[in-house]
Amino acid sequence: MTRMWCVPTEILCDEHLRGEHAEHHQLVGTILNHPHGEAIAGGHAEKGNIDTSRLEERHEELAEEMEQRGFNHDSPLEYEGPSFGVGSIDVSHNLADLVDRCADCNDNYQKNLNSYRSYSGEVNSR
Ligand SMILES: [Zn+2]
Ligand SMILES: [Zn+2]
């Protein structure tokens, strides 16, 4: 299922990081090349899964995180097609859904929670 999670990239496990990245390229290919691409994109947008106005910026974030983790990234992404789902992505809903379905993303999320706590001066009990 195509979905732009748009959660902080450090929370994504390797699989979800590469998956979300691949979906950006697939989505652009679908909209521009698939005979029913616009209808398909409209369906994703209705569910709040995509926002084409954020495609390029989000792709950049994902590509940077991939490079930091040592994955090859050699696929620039540009999108100048029609707009779908602008403003429809609910990041906190996505975050809750992601950490619920993926143990690895949940681990990253918990690690980040700890770092937020230590920033605010609270003592980490571990
Ligand atoms: Zn790419
Ligand atoms: Zn994951």
Side-chain angles (χ1 to χ4, degrees), residues 18 64-73:
R18 292 203 274 197
E64 265 175 38
E65 183 70 21
M66 284 171 67
E67 278 165 13
Q68 277 185 18
R69 295 189 196 182
F71 300 140
N72 285 328
H73 180 267

Side-chain angles (χ1 to χ4, degrees), residues 12-13 15-16 98 102 104-105:
L12 296 168
C13 67
E15 198 183 319
H16 274 112
L98 185 66
C102 178
D104 292 333
C105 287

Side-chain angles (χ1 to χ4, degrees), residues 11-96:
I11 290 174
L12 296 168
C13 67
D14 289 353
E15 198 183 319
H16 274 112
L17 175 64
R18 292 203 274 197
E20 185 178 342
H21 169 258
E23 283 168 4
H24 277 60
H25 288 282
Q26 282 163 13
L27 177 63
V28 170
T30 298
I31 295 172
L32 299 181
N33 302 320
H34 192 287
H36 307 297
E38 297 196 10
I40 293 168
H44 294 316
E46 256 172 45
K47 294 181 207 137
N49 287 348
I50 64 166
D51 177 345
T52 54
S53 71
R54 298 175 71 170
L55 266 174
E56 292 187 5
E57 182 198 341
R58 178 63 176 169
H59 172 265
E60 254 333 277
E61 290 175 12
L62 295 166
E64 265 175 38
E65 183 70 21
M66 284 171 67
E67 278 165 13
Q68 277 185 18
R69 295 189 196 182
F71 300 140
N72 285 328
H73 180 267
D74 188 20
S75 52
L77 182 141
E78 284 177 25
Y79 183 73
E80 286 170 3
S83 295
F84 295 97
V86 175
S88 73
I89 293 178
D90 180 344
V91 175
S92 48
H93 169 81
N94 283 352
L95 181 60

